[in-house]
């Protein structure tokens, strides 16, 4: 506890001076029919995002920091994958995606706490954080495989990486179609892997802090009090939902974590894939950020976090449901099996996807 508190205090100043905050929320659910769904929001402002495919057999180049003089390693991907890439980073970097084996990954920012590992001349397995997403999804089919690979692979970042305007300080949630899920963090230069017991991830502080913070909200309940006597007065509830009084409603990472965890664990279990996608969509609606309501100052400029896109992965049936800011109520669902079967890469800006348009009203009402 002392270590976590000290880390939190040490991070206050850099977080205050960071200017641009980044708010992401990820939620997993397993339906009654064992379908595994993993959804997330992305609020990294000023970034163009590209949905791109990585065919099986794609050559990846794994590098170490240049000053070590270690050789580049080229590997051919074992699995086809589809990911969302931050194009503000030269060459892009996969921060969200899923592969043909049913492994999904979401990267959420962890500023103020993330320090990656130190690669030495004696190391033989390494990957930069910018190449991490493609490597993780391209080379591994299950959470267990990711966990085993990370125990022997150094993940690094330094000033030589062309990371764009925001340092690539992230932690990741991995989920596979068995329902297994882990959180991967690099704190103090050390790998930390947590079982994703809450089925939720947001941003800073690290995962273990968020679990401790849930102790402050044990009073929350789905069951409200119908009435209570005060002296001779019988005071009745004015509506449903009183059991959730005190559920935090702001957009900070701790509040979003509590809000998403409460809803994830108290909602009715979805029965199948369609029900689970709908359920996660409802949870993510509660952390959706409209442009202008979560502002901060970056020098003299006022900037705003907002939900740029939402991605909901069906890891059991290889489907991706996605929307951007302009189409928040008109998701498009992609059958990824056809993409996974391709032997050539393809890509398209998320904002340019063929989101559904309005249908003819008269035709819609005809029997």
């Amino acid at each position: 506890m002392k270590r976590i508190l000290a880390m939190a205090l040490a991070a206050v100043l850099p977080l205050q001076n960071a200017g641009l905050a980044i708010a992401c929320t990820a939620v997993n659910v397993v339906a009654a029919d064992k379908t595994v769904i993993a959804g997330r929001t992305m609020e990294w402002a000023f970034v163009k995002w590209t949905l791109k495919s990585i065919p099986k057999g794609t050559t990846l180049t794994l590098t170490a920091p240049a000053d070590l003089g270690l050789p580049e390693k080229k590997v051919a991907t074992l699995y086809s994958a589809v990911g969302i890439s931050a194009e503000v980073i030269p060459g892009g970097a996969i921060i969200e995606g899923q592969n043909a084996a049913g492994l999904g990954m979401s990267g959420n920012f962890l500023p103020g706490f993330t320090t990656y590992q130190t690669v030495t001349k004696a190391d033989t397995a390494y990957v930069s954080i910018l190449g991490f997403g493609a490597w993780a999804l391209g080379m591994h089919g299950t959470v267990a495989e990711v966990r085993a690979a990370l125990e022997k692979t150094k993940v690094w970042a330094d000033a030589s990486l062309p990371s764009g305007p925001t340092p690539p300080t992230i932690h990741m949630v991995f989920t596979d179609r068995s329902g297994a899920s882990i959180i991967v963090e690099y704190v103090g230069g050390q790998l930390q892997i947590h079982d994703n017991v809450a089925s939720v991830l947001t941003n800073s502080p690290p995962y273990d802090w968020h679990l401790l913070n849930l102790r402050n909200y044990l009073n929350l309940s789905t069951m409200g009090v119908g009435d209570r006597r005060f002296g001779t007065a019988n005071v009745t509830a004015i509506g449903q939902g009183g059991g959730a009084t005190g559920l935090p409603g702001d957009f900070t990472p701790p509040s979003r974590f509590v809000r998403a965890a409460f809803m994830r664990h108290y909602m009715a279990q979805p029965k199948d894939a369609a029900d689970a996608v709908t359920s996660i969509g409802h949870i993510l609606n509660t952390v959706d950020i409209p442009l202008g309501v979560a502002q901060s100052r970056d020098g003299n400029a006022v900037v705003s976090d907002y939900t740029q896109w939402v991605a909901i992965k069906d890891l059991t049936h290889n489907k991706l449901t996605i929307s951007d800011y302009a189409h928040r109520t008109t998701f498009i669902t992609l059958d990824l099996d056809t993409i996974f079967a391709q032997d050539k890469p393809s890509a398209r800006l998320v904002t340019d996807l063929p989101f559904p348009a309005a249908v003819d009203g008269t035709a819609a009402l005809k029997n």
Side-chain angles (χ1 to χ4, degrees):
M1 174 67 78
K2 290 180 179 178
R3 179 181 64 85
I4 294 171
L5 289 175
M7 288 164 53
L9 289 172
V12 168
L13 184 58
L15 286 175
Q16 287 178 336
N17 291 337
L20 178 60
I22 301 166
C24 308
T25 304
V27 182
N28 299 342
V29 67
V30 180
D33 71 351
K34 306 304 182 184
T35 295
V36 180
I37 306 293
R40 62 90 50 81
T41 68
M42 171 54 75
E43 286 83 12
W44 189 2
F46 312 126
V47 177
K48 287 191 175 182
W49 297 94
T50 297
L51 182 68
K52 59 175 57 176
S53 67
I54 305 172
K56 179 181 178 179
T58 296
T59 298
L60 303 179
T61 302
L62 310 182
T63 64
D67 59 357
L68 293 177
L70 292 173
E72 293 183 345
K73 295 182 177 294
K74 295 188 181 296
V75 296
T77 57
L78 303 176
Y79 303 97
S80 299
V82 168
I84 301 178
S85 174
E87 296 304 293
V88 71
I89 299 170
I94 300 295
I95 202 168
E96 164 71 20
Q98 63 196 99
N99 68 20
L103 177 69
M105 183 199 84
S106 293
N108 288 15
F109 279 84
L110 188 69
F113 295 91
T114 299
T115 302
Y116 294 107
Q117 294 166 303
T118 299
V119 181
T120 70
K121 287 182 176 293
D123 290 316
T124 58
Y126 37 77
V127 59
S128 78
I129 189 58
L130 298 188
F132 180 89
W135 168 80
L137 292 175
M139 303 304 296
H140 310 94
T142 66
V143 163
E145 290 179 11
V146 172
R147 185 192 290 266
L150 291 177
E151 295 290 353
K152 55 188 179 183
T153 303
K154 291 285 187 69
V155 177
W156 65 276
D158 66 16
S160 70
L161 291 179
S163 61
T166 303
T169 52
I170 61 175
H171 56 175
M172 290 72 67
V173 53
F174 287 95
T175 306
D176 65 30
R177 61 173 51 140
S178 76
S181 187
I182 58 173
I183 307 297
V184 176
E185 299 178 331
Y186 292 90
V187 178
Q190 300 298 315
L191 168 67
Q192 297 185 0
I193 300 178
H194 306 277
D195 290 329
N196 187 14
V197 293
S199 299
V200 170
L201 183 65
T202 57
N203 306 102
S204 296
Y207 191 70
D208 51 4
W209 185 97
H210 286 290
L211 295 181
L212 287 174
N213 186 50
L214 286 177
R215 296 183 180 186
N216 291 314
Y217 298 93
L218 301 182
N219 60 296
L220 296 176
S221 171
T222 59
M223 188 65 63
V225 176
D227 63 88
R228 183 161 290 166
R229 297 198 68 85
F230 290 86
T232 59
N234 184 39
V235 180
T236 59
I238 58 175
Q240 294 283 13
T245 298
L247 183 69
D250 62 80
F251 296 113
T252 61
S255 293
R256 286 183 284 108
F257 191 101
V258 172
R259 193 155 71 247
F262 174 79
M263 296 189 182
R264 161 63 180 81
H265 290 282
Y266 286 106
M267 70 179 187
Q269 184 184 22
K271 61 182 183 297
D272 55 23
D275 199 15
V277 168
T278 298
S279 297
I280 281 196
H282 281 294
I283 295 172
L284 296 179
N285 281 345
T286 71
V287 294
D288 186 86
I289 304 178
L291 183 62
V293 303
Q295 295 181 330
S296 61
R297 293 192 178 277
D298 185 11
N300 293 325
V302 175
V303 296
S304 177
D305 262 8
Y306 66 98
T307 302
Q308 290 194 298
W309 48 265
V310 173
I312 303 176
K313 305 180 290 291
D314 182 339
L315 301 176
T316 303
H317 303 105
N318 291 343
K319 296 185 187 304
L320 172 64
T321 299
I322 187 170
S323 72
D324 69 351
Y325 186 84
H327 302 89
R328 189 63 179 86
T329 59
T330 51
F331 285 85
I332 183 173
T333 297
L334 309 179
D335 184 343
L336 299 182
D337 282 331
T338 57
I339 299 178
F340 290 150
Q342 294 177 345
D343 59 5
K344 291 183 172 55
S346 54
R348 191 169 187 177
L349 286 173
V350 170
T351 52
D352 290 344
L353 292 173
F355 294 104
V359 300
D360 178 79
T362 302
L365 294 179
K366 287 182 178 179
N367 291 327

